[in-house]
Amino acid sequence: MTSLNELRQLIDQIDQEILKLFIKRIDLVKAIKHIKIEEKRPILDSNRESEILDKLKNITQDDALFPYVRHLFMTIMAISKEVQACSDTD
């Protein structure tokens, strides 16, 4: 049987991977921000958000898990909009 510490170490490794991917995502969000500014597009794209959530629903195999997946990605998208709205971000 796997020990509590071993499981926690695995979670720590996953957290590091999530952080790396989150930073990559924010870098892409900043690049998108510049394109939206150049093309005079609004920050909010409700259709894109719906697309993302629909895709996630389709690939989430456990229906009971989807509300948590939805909450996670709504939070990520909210942070992305904050980054795009902030004038301090590159």
Side-chain angles (χ1 to χ4, degrees):
M1 177 176 267
T2 308
S3 74
L4 178 61
N5 283 338
E6 290 171 326
L7 293 173
R8 286 181 172 165
Q9 286 176 350
L10 291 172
I11 287 176
D12 289 345
Q13 290 172 3
I14 291 169
D15 288 346
Q16 288 176 20
E17 291 176 41
I18 290 170
L19 179 58
K20 287 178 189 175
L21 292 172
F22 178 74
I23 291 168
K24 284 183 181 181
R25 191 181 200 284
I26 293 300
D27 288 341
L28 293 171
V29 164
K30 290 175 183 178
I32 289 169
K33 171 187 174 177
H34 293 296
I35 292 170
K36 286 182 175 182
I37 289 170
E38 286 176 17
E39 296 180 0
K40 295 180 172 59
R41 291 183 182 216
I43 290 169
L44 176 63
D45 185 345
S46 298
N47 291 333
R48 174 69 177 144
E49 289 186 9
S50 294
E51 265 178 36
I52 291 169
L53 293 174
D54 288 345
K55 286 179 189 178
L56 292 168
K57 185 170 183 132
N58 290 332
I59 61 176
T60 302
Q61 295 176 356
D62 182 351
D63 288 341
L65 188 60
F66 182 69
Y68 304 109
V69 171
R70 184 181 191 286
H71 180 72
L72 171 64
F73 280 87
M74 290 296 293
T75 302
I76 290 170
M77 289 186 286
I79 292 167
S80 296
K81 288 182 279 193
E82 284 180 38
V83 168
Q84 287 184 2
C86 183
S87 61
D88 292 345
T89 60
D90 294 310

